[in-house]
Amino acid sequence: MELIYNILQATFFTMTPLLVVALGGLFSERSGVVNIALEGIMVMGAFIGIFVISMIEGGSIPGQLVLIIGVIVGGLVGLIFSVFHAFASINLKADQTISGTALNIFAPAVAIFVARSMLGGSKEIKFLTVFRIKRVPFLTDIPILGRIFFEDFYITFYVGLIILLISWFVLYKTRLGLRIRACGENPHAADSVGINIYKIRYIGVLTSGFLAGMGGVIFIISASQAFAASVSGYGFLAIAVLIFGNWQPKKILFASFFFGLMTTLAAMYTEIPLLKGLGLSEEFYNMIPYIATLVVLALLSKSSKAPKAVGVIYDKGAR
Amino acid sequence: MVEFAVEMLNITKTFGSLVANDDINLQVKKGEIHALLGENGAGKSTLMSILFGLYQPDKGVIKINGQEVKIRNPNDANDLGIGMVHQHFKLVEVFSITENIILGSETTKYGILDLETSKKKIEQMSKEYHLEVDPNAQVSDITVGMQQRVEILKMLYRKADILIFDEPTAVLTPQEIDELMKIIRSFADDGKTIIIITHKLNEIKQIADYCTVLRKGKKIATVDVKKTDISALANMMVGREVSFSVEKTPAKIEEPLLIVENLTFKEHKSNKEILSNVNFSVNKGEIVTIAGVDGNGQSELIKIITGLFTPTSGRVIFKDTDITNTSIIERIEKGMGHIPEDRQKMGLILDYTLAENMILNSYFKEEFSSKGILNKEAMIDYTNRLINRFDIRSSSGSLSIVRGMSGGNQQKAILAREVSRDPDLLIAVQPTRGLDIGAIEYIHKELIAHRDKGKAVLIVSFELDEVLSISDRILVMYNGEIVVSLDASKTNADELGLYMLGAKRGELNGE
Amino acid sequence: QDEKKGHESYTPSYSTANKKIGLVTDVGSIDDKSFNQTSWEGIVDFAETNGLAIETNYKYFQPSGGSNAGTQDYITAINNAINWGAEIVVCPGFLFEVAIYEIQEKNKNIGFVLIDGTPNEGNYEDVYVAPNTVSILFKEQESGFLAGYAAVKDGFTSLGFMGGMAVPAVVRFGIGFIAGAYLAAKENNNTEFSFNKDHYTYVGKFEADPNIKTRAESWYNAGVEVIFAAAGGAGSSVLAAAQEGQDKWMIGVDKDQASDSPRVLTSATKGVHSATVLALESFYQSNFDVGGQILNLGAVDDGVGLPLGESWRFSSFTIEEYQSLYDKLVDGTINVPSTHETLKTYVEGLGYTLNLSFEDIGM
Amino acid sequence: MENKRENSALRSYGQKVLSRFKEFRVSSTMDKIKASVISALGGILVGLIIMMLINFQGVIDFIITLASGKFKFDPNTYIIGSIVQSAPILIAGLSVAFAFRTGLFNIGASGQILVGGITAIYIGHLISLPGPLHFLVALIGAIIAGSIWGGITGTLKAYFNINEVVTSIMLNYVAAHLVKFLSRQKLVFDLFRSQTKMLPKSATIPTLGLDRLFPHSGFDISIFIAILTAILVFIILEKTTLGYQLKAVGYNPLGAKTNGIKYRRNIILSMLIAGALSGLAGGIIYLSGANATQIRVQINIPGEGFDGISVALLATNSPIGVIFSAIFINFITQFGSLVEGASTFKKEISDVIIAVIIYFSALSSITLYYLNVRKRKRLKHNSELNKEGDE
Ligand SMILES: Nc1ncnc2c1ncn2[C@@H]1O[C@H](COP(=O)(O)OP(=O)(O)OP(=O)(O)O)[C@@H](O)[C@H]1O
Ligand SMILES: Nc1ncnc2c1ncn2[C@@H]1O[C@H](COP(=O)(O)OP(=O)(O)OP(=O)(O)O)[C@@H](O)[C@H]1O
Ligand SMILES: [Mg+2]
Ligand SMILES: [Mg+2]
């Protein structure tokens, strides 16, 4: 039982950044723009977000608020950074893969370069605050669920779930969502009823920037106590989760949970008798999440629900 | 002075060096049905796109109800009460009908989409205008005819009273066409103004009040339809005399070449039966046409014969060999030619040159390659010969990128590739879709010539005129079954229409 | 092969007029909380006492190639430092062994300081420290020993070890740590004590990673009270897990990490900092009299130890107890094992059985 | 059933990602070269501006330091070195470009490099053979291993319709762990360094004395191997029936299939070749250098795979272009070291410059549009044509 609590808690923190960033990717791709730059945007968001956290922590602002401020700053930075991608791929009709790749190279380079040149020679940005919440009065005492959901958790997990709900709601229940989806499926149809494709795609890309930037901060605060110009490839994993989740919020939740769970099992194998009993070398346990994902995809994936127009440059005059 | 609902004056529009509209004037009175006629590429869609705000004219003025207006985008057009049903439907396939109709003019309640209210409104409109649709159905699941009704509802939903139809009948059955004509008529009677683009002269004759003819971007004339006969319209459009009937001698039928036996095909996911127990054969020396409304299994049938799909059960026998499970390339090698339904997605590699496309299913032949190295010269020589023989026009000859060629020429290229291989069985799906009279004439001639060499030709067509004029024998497909086999010379459009709609079942002559 | 072994002996003549000191980092950076950082701090320290200016007089260089950098990248980076004008180049880490072996005799008048390694051509068949090179090694096992002993003495009974990669220095830290823990357990009369083999691993990288944190967390959840993280930047993931646990601790490595978090119990340090200063002083003040030598620094040389003062966070283990143990290392009463075999003998000598198998973690 | 899978394969994501590359097909070689050169110059310019914004005096000092000879400018390190050491990213770039040309996004070059590398190292230790033969066998082993690794991606795409981007990302990690495991097995393990043992000289890439002719440059024959490979890839893509088929599938899978070209076989084949190229890059990386490069027992996804993407993109996926773009990008990287040595700037400026260059190259069609008035019409025309393709 104890073990299950621990596994779930660890799963929640591993999956949160993946969930948030994949949802970011969802907005961009649903509006028709491939965003392979999620990794770079995460780095950029984490860079400034963690920097801000390290500046304001320990002062009069309470810890959880510091975290929220950091996450939002990260989001805003991501949003601003993603303008480059939006501008290139929407206004200038550039190749979206190339532009995204450029952002991926740019972000860590700038983070290290600026940190090394200006922040006193160190590329690391440390912070001290522990953001994990031990327990909440009442909630933690709910039998079983209380321990799973309200003990030793990050507030960001709930931020992630709220973003999921909002994303689902926006995409499927609002006018904006209908238009975003239309732009990703058939921009010419959207255009012919007077929808401004450029505007909608900007909204999609900038939202992805905002969420990826947030995801960067969320990733760092739950992974370590310092930012060192990297998010360990989680941006790419988020793309994988987005595809695994077949471009649908609910399935993205499942995909990120699945991947988080597998990662947790792999990291904790020594504590899980069943796994340990296999007697494999550690590396083979570490491969579990990746292989399991491929196996699940092989079993599930026959039809891809990729937005039809994703990656296709929109040209107004096209018929 | 007459009140015009729409006036387009001195409109000029160029795309690069191409003048799509050259100083065109178009005037349409309120409550009038006005036809636009012209060959492929004459500039009809362009002119209407300008009216609808999709393009900006380089020169010229637009007046709506006498007022000079600027139509910068479809929103402006909507505000002016202009609606358009596009030649290529502008629908989001994964959306429901309701979502498609309201897109861009959504009603919301507290920021939330109010689909229920919209649905009611659509249901009510669909009753009022006799445009039957199921508001909950997803567009990818509905027939083309219904898609068109959705497009019309989209206009009406936006309270348009100037309605533009760009080739609305190209994809409909005769019965559906009749229905549509009635609806359009009733719109006009309600005082709405209608502009309709079509290649079909009899439709113009049937419904339009006036007709404006365009040729190569220029306006030729505007005529009163009642005072002009069909051949005059055709001459104006093409600039020469056209013949309407295909000349062909009776078929010299020999032994069967292709035999389809008890073919059944179920869709994997839904397990829906698309083809049920289909049996027929095609003989050497005849043209067999499969008629029917789109979506009754024709596409799947052809895909099974050509090897793209595997049937759930049944056999395909070609030249006395069971080929049900052989690969596509083996079938091609065995003497099958295929002009597929979608020339751009299936027939060609648009980013390859014309020459590269001409050897798409024979590049491995000794003629074009040795030891795995392509012989570019041979390839180009060969292509140049085909260009001459089939009159394929393009900007840089055999080295033109096919993407840059016009639709008609792309179609000719496929025809050239397949016919020149001299296949024993030539399969052609909708070989003249979207082409103008001249091109259609040419392709029909080639198909008949192929038959006359003693080869078998199997055609799928949704165009009744085509079916009737080119076939020796007609098989009608309805709901996954072949419901009748008819001698082409002994039937007519009305009879075919009844079979196509499932209202009648018949004998399968000798099958 | 042979041409390489023909080492000539020579007397280098150094130019020291410009006072230019270069540091070439290995895969880590100068803030890796590890030897890159401590040797840089040593240079800074030396520079400050001698009034030298950064960029003009001292500067660090990073090789290209990231964590995948190879010998060629190190050679290029060292050359870069020499082209800049460096009179002496400090190279922290055994990864430089081959590069310095290649380059020391081609730059006879440049001083080289190789920390944690000895120049050789790649397989230790020919270890050669040229007259212009000093090779500085540490007895990490002694440092780890002190930390392990202190932790168990302080009342901890469940310990873990996470190394970055199983490189010799890290391995020695771990071996000493276990040895110290067993000694203290014996002194505490804890016959039950055992170092759980599941809680001894090398994580495979020196950078922070969420998986490492999850792993550390799972250990803490399984009852481990303190983890010795000899893993450079990856230690910060372990620390993050410790901070979030209830009463969980982390032991830092190489330098005093107390300021990183109140959850840092202690740090098993080694004197890279002071050794760097020593080498530089020797170079600039005594014509590099340590050149050509291999220094192996341990407790005797004040080369290893735990931080005292503010950083002392033990509750029951006292500085006096620490001093007395330290003295035993200095005077040789205790000889800390540095290999797996000697560790086994040592632990068995104390009356315990060692249930660690190093094979399945790649040793 | 077959058809379903086919249809969704068509709609596949990678396909969409790639659609834009098709445009390059329409523009001429000269245009592409122009676009790349403009991007390169633009990137350098922007890099310079960033440097000046951060520290204007620093830039001046940098120039003075170089001009005055205070910094010893060693052409072997900074020029020859940057050319000859570009071999790995050149070949990785070929792998990515090849896949792109055949309609696939090979983001998994890193994993293929690792698998190829470890195989080469195993062969280096396991077999003893004389001189060049030994290294050749090791290199071939690397090619085969990389090919198999790439083939997995191709097979999963062909038979299970799993997007190659996901497979590649996942397989990169699997490779990282697998290679970590393999590199600490007794046979190859160097206990003292926690990395693979040094290879015998016979297994390393011959230098033909070039390293002594150009000291510090790291000169060996790998750059020649790389250039030959580029030419070979060019021939395969442009001159052979194999390339013809593969590209046809890449451009239009359904179109190819309808005409008898085997879709699955070609997808797999294409990934086998892309993987083989990456495997070769891995062999080159780990078999060259002073004593070859060892694989450390660590979780590592080599950067060369991602550099390969940049190299391919800058070269607009032309194999011959890849030669130049690889050398150029490597040159910029070395320039970073030079900057770090001769100024107060840090070497990461080179990555900033590379990023800007890649960004500009994404805008190349626009760049050309504004640069070349004569061609303006044609480009517009082309975009019209693409539309007709959408009908
Ligand atoms: N967006 C565009 N960019 C460039 N050229 C275009 C564009 N749209 C149309 N054209 C060209 O303008 C000409 C007129 O095209 P348009 O679509 O108006 O013809 P049409 O009369 O509707 O023909 P069809 O009967 O085939 O529908 C054609 O040559 C076409 O290639
Ligand atoms: N955008 C373009 N770029 C280059 N050539 C073009 C372009 N558009 C049309 N052409 C060429 O101009 C000619 C006329 O094109 P258009 O689209 O008007 O043909 P069309 O009249 O529709 O012919 P078809 O009846 O075959 O459809 C074609 O031969 C085509 O190759
Ligand atoms: Mg046309
Ligand atoms: Mg038209």
Side-chain angles (χ1 to χ4, degrees), chain B residues 309 348 352 356 372 374 403, chain D residues 3 238-239 241 244 252 386:
Chain B
F309 288 1
L348 297 165
Y352 267 170
E356 284 167 324
L374 280 176
R403 191 180 281 287
Chain D
N3 52 314
E238 305 299 339
K239 307 281 177 207
T241 51
Y244 174 85
N252 180 357
N386 289 340

Side-chain angles (χ1 to χ4, degrees), chain B residues 14-18 55 88 265-269 307-310 312 327-330 332 338 340 342 344-353 355-361 363-364 369 372-376 379 401 403-407 410 417-418, chain D residues 1-7 10-11 19 21-26 235-262 265-266 376-378 380-382 384-391:
Chain B
T14 55
F15 294 110
S17 55
L18 183 124
Y55 298 140
H88 309 282
F265 180 72
K266 282 188 187 154
E267 198 183 46
H268 186 56
K269 267 232 179 86
L308 281 160
F309 288 1
T310 326
T312 313
S327 68
I328 298 173
I329 191 69
E330 282 171 81
I332 292 174
H338 182 197
D342 187 328
Q344 300 192 324
K345 293 204 179 98
M346 298 171 76
L348 297 165
I349 309 292
L350 292 177
D351 298 279
Y352 267 170
T353 60
E356 284 167 324
N357 270 290
M358 295 325 272
I359 58 163
L360 200 52
N361 42 30
Y363 62 91
F364 47 85
S369 64
I373 303 290
L374 280 176
N375 182 346
K376 296 232 158 143
M379 193 166 121
I401 301 297
R403 191 180 281 287
M405 290 168 45
S406 76
Q410 290 178 349
R417 180 181 69 211
E418 299 303 318
Chain D
M1 209 165 290
E2 180 133 352
N3 52 314
K4 271 284 135 189
R5 195 180 299 151
E6 183 66 281
N7 284 339
L10 275 174
R11 275 188 267 133
S19 64
F21 288 99
K22 297 174 179 173
E23 282 245 320
F24 286 121
R25 177 71 203 218
V26 185
I235 291 173
I236 292 178
L237 278 176
E238 305 299 339
K239 307 281 177 207
T240 65
T241 51
L242 175 66
Y244 174 85
Q245 291 174 54
L246 293 175
K247 283 187 295 175
V249 171
Y251 283 130
N252 180 357
L254 182 59
K257 185 175 172 169
T258 308
N259 287 285
I261 299 177
K262 296 194 166 127
R265 177 176 158 266
N266 280 285
R376 208 177 269 195
K377 285 177 191 162
R378 236 204 55 203
K380 205 166 173 187
H381 218 48
N382 289 344
E384 187 266 315
L385 296 176
N386 289 340
K387 282 159 230 159
E388 264 190 67
D390 295 338
E391 281 178 18

Side-chain angles (χ1 to χ4, degrees), chain A residues 177-199:
Chain A
L178 188 74
R179 293 181 174 192
I180 289 177
R181 287 183 289 136
C183 285
E185 286 291 334
N186 187 348
H188 301 297
D191 195 18
S192 74
V193 293
I195 292 170
N196 184 340
I197 312 289
Y198 287 19
K199 188 174 116 193

Side-chain angles (χ1 to χ4, degrees), chain A residues 109-184:
Chain A
V110 159
I112 299 177
F113 184 73
V114 172
R116 282 183 74 192
S117 305
M118 315 233 248
L119 304 177
S122 161
K123 72 168 186 186
E124 259 193 17
I125 304 168
K126 291 182 210 167
F127 59 96
L128 288 171
T129 318
V130 175
F131 295 110
R132 181 116 130 189
I133 298 170
K134 283 257 140 306
R135 49 185 295 113
V136 212
F138 310 119
L139 288 178
T140 312
D141 301 324
I142 304 169
I144 305 182
L145 293 184
R147 283 209 58 194
I148 294 177
F149 290 103
F150 298 106
E151 193 179 272
D152 278 332
F153 67 100
Y154 287 95
I155 194 144
T156 47
F157 176 57
Y158 291 95
V159 173
L161 290 185
I162 291 170
I163 291 173
L164 174 76
L165 283 178
I166 296 177
S167 304
W168 172 82
F169 182 80
V170 168
L171 276 178
Y172 295 104
K173 296 287 160 199
T174 67
R175 176 204 311 240
L176 178 65
L178 188 74
R179 293 181 174 192
I180 289 177
R181 287 183 289 136
C183 285

Side-chain angles (χ1 to χ4, degrees), chain D residues 50-122:
Chain D
I50 293 178
M51 284 167 78
M52 293 206 270
L53 286 179
I54 289 176
N55 181 354
F56 187 76
Q57 192 55 40
V59 178
I60 307 284
D61 291 346
F62 170 58
I63 295 167
I64 293 175
T65 307
L66 273 188
S68 67
K70 256 206 284 179
F71 182 90
K72 191 164 146 269
F73 183 86
D74 171 15
N76 285 341
T77 306
Y78 304 109
I79 295 179
I80 309 284
S82 61
I83 295 172
V84 300
Q85 288 173 33
S86 62
I89 63 169
L90 199 167
I91 304 176
L94 288 173
S95 166
V96 177
F98 186 86
F100 266 141
R101 288 291 292 276
T102 59
L104 299 165
F105 187 9
N106 183 16
I107 202 170
S110 295
Q112 296 146 15
I113 285 174
L114 269 181
V115 174
I118 193 78
T119 309
I121 286 176
Y122 263 82

Side-chain angles (χ1 to χ4, degrees), chain C residues 234-250:
Chain C
S236 110
S237 288
V238 179
L239 187 55
Q243 296 202 98
E244 288 169 358
Q246 206 90 67
D247 235 354
K248 301 298 182 188
W249 297 86
M250 175 262 201

